[in-house]
Amino acid sequence: MPLRKIVFPTAGLGTRFLPATKASPKEMLTIVDKPLIQYGVEEALAAGLDQIVMVTGRGKRAIEDHFDISAELEKNLRQAGKEELYEKVSRISRMANISYVRQKQPLGLGHAVACAAHWVGDKSFAVALADELIISDVPAMQQLRTVHEQTGASVIGLRQMPAEELSHYGVVDTVEENGLLRLKHMVEKPQPDEAPSNLASIGRYIFTPRLMALLHDAAPGRGGEIQLTDAIATLAREEPVYGVLIEGERFDAGNPLGFLMANTALGLNHPDYGSPLLDFIRQRL
Ligand code: UTP
């Protein structure tokens, strides 16, 4: 069975981006003209992952509305002859069939993924965190998929990070095996002297179904949350888990500075806004 299912956990509190995320979801923050979650869905579809489930929580209705048909808006745009905008808007509701499951309380990323267990069933599946925006020629999910298809194993996306930033991420210990990086261990948000390497997980994963069983039995870890990292560390002791160094530009758009950088970089690349934005930045320097 080809890999088609992907889980987007979107039920976190987004505390790093308060007050913007007080009443609206972090995943709806806009980079140039599209919300983060749409970039994530487009990346998944480009990698052949067209069965999508979003794990949502309180205050996340805007995500469902975004991917729904907005009949009134579409009618108004058509009547006003705004065909280009109509196409942009109606394409979103046609782009994918999306299911939603609810995480009743934000008990951690691992718990959020486990909320989709019934929907995932007994096949391998992908997970993506939409606030990690990755812009690359080969979609990041496809980079993982290639290694999954080669090995049949779980694969996680990695990036080299400066030492002072490692304490914000899951950090892995790896060993080289047949030209691939095999995970030996993974630690959630390590202190600088405890980080096993400078390779951090950046929100792209493919898992064998065994991960769901491990999450089901998982005890709360760091911060009292059910940690995905702990389940990955256990999985790596039981069966091969590989790491892939993701190629492309990556932004942690779930915090204000990363978000501003993403908007600046994508804004400068935009065919209409790039040149005036560059002029504007130059004037301010
Ligand atoms: P983060 O670690 O970024 O947490 O979660 P957060 O709550 O969203 O944001 P901060 O750190 O407080 O600013 C990583 C991903 O896991 C989801 C989030 O929505 C995000 O996509 N998540 C996290 C859940 O779905 N449920 C949870 O209980 C925790």
Side-chain angles (χ1 to χ4, degrees):
M1 278 292 282
L3 183 75
R4 290 183 64 182
K5 292 193 172 184
I6 182 161
V7 180
F8 283 92
T10 67
L13 295 176
T15 49
R16 287 171 301 157
F17 223 128
L18 283 168
T21 47
K22 185 179 172 206
S24 51
K26 165 169 85 170
E27 294 75 13
M28 288 302 292
L29 288 167
T30 301
I31 307 296
V32 185
D33 58 357
K34 287 188 293 193
L36 280 166
I37 192 69
Q38 188 176 334
Y39 286 92
V41 167
E42 288 173 355
E43 180 192 320
L45 294 174
L49 299 161
D50 59 351
Q51 296 185 3
I52 297 172
V53 71
M54 298 204 181
V55 182
T56 65
R58 277 175 57 79
K60 301 283 179 168
R61 255 200 55 192
I63 297 176
E64 297 184 35
D65 288 346
H66 183 70
F67 291 101
D68 225 346
I69 294 172
S70 176
E72 203 179 310
L73 176 64
E74 291 181 23
K75 194 171 140 214
N76 281 346
L77 291 172
R78 272 228 131 136
Q79 280 174 352
K82 296 181 175 164
E83 278 301 316
E84 206 176 315
L85 272 180
Y86 166 79
E87 268 309 313
K88 267 191 189 168
V89 166
S90 63
R91 190 178 71 86
I92 301 167
S93 50
R94 281 186 270 116
M95 92 179 22
N97 257 332
I98 302 178
S99 308
Y100 298 89
V101 299
R102 194 94 172 168
Q103 185 189 26
K104 288 184 188 159
Q105 273 181 291
L107 299 177
L109 173 57
H111 181 262
V113 172
C115 289
H118 186 68
W119 181 87
V120 162
D122 60 356
K123 306 280 184 309
S124 290
F125 63 100
V127 175
L129 309 186
D131 57 334
E132 296 269 7
L133 177 64
I134 303 174
I135 306 296
S136 52
D137 292 337
V138 179
M141 269 331 302
Q142 180 60 48
Q143 297 179 40
L144 263 62
R145 185 178 188 130
T146 302
V147 176
H148 173 71
E149 281 169 357
Q150 199 180 325
T151 59
S154 298
V155 188
I156 75 168
L158 301 173
R159 187 108 181 164
Q160 288 185 336
M161 293 284 176
E164 64 277 12
E165 288 180 29
L166 290 170
S167 59
H168 303 302
Y169 296 91
V171 181
V172 297
D173 191 10
T174 57
V175 59
E176 218 179 303
E177 188 185 273
N178 303 326
L180 296 172
L181 286 175
R182 181 167 170 176
L183 254 70
K184 281 167 47 189
H185 191 46
M186 185 164 177
V187 191
E188 182 64 16
K189 301 191 170 76
Q191 292 303 308
D193 55 336
E194 288 168 355
S197 74
N198 65 347
L199 295 178
S201 151
I202 52 162
R204 297 292 184 278
Y205 317 84
I206 294 174
F207 294 117
T208 60
R210 176 71 186 142
L211 182 92
M212 284 298 191
L214 295 173
L215 284 174
H216 184 263
D217 298 335
R222 204 176 186 284
E225 295 190 342
I226 307 282
Q227 294 287 356
L228 182 62
T229 295
D230 296 344
I232 297 173
T234 310
L235 187 68
R237 284 196 292 275
E238 290 188 4
E239 55 180 57
V241 176
Y242 295 102
V244 172
L245 281 165
I246 297 288
E247 283 171 19
E249 249 197 311
R250 170 253 170 207
F251 304 93
D252 178 3
N255 74 76
L257 182 59
F259 169 82
L260 289 170
M261 288 173 170
N263 265 306
T264 308
L266 272 68
L268 286 170
N269 281 343
H270 193 280
D272 299 334
Y273 312 137
S275 168
L277 179 61
L278 182 61
D279 289 345
F280 174 76
I281 292 171
R282 283 202 177 115
Q283 283 163 23
R284 319 271 304 187
L285 291 176

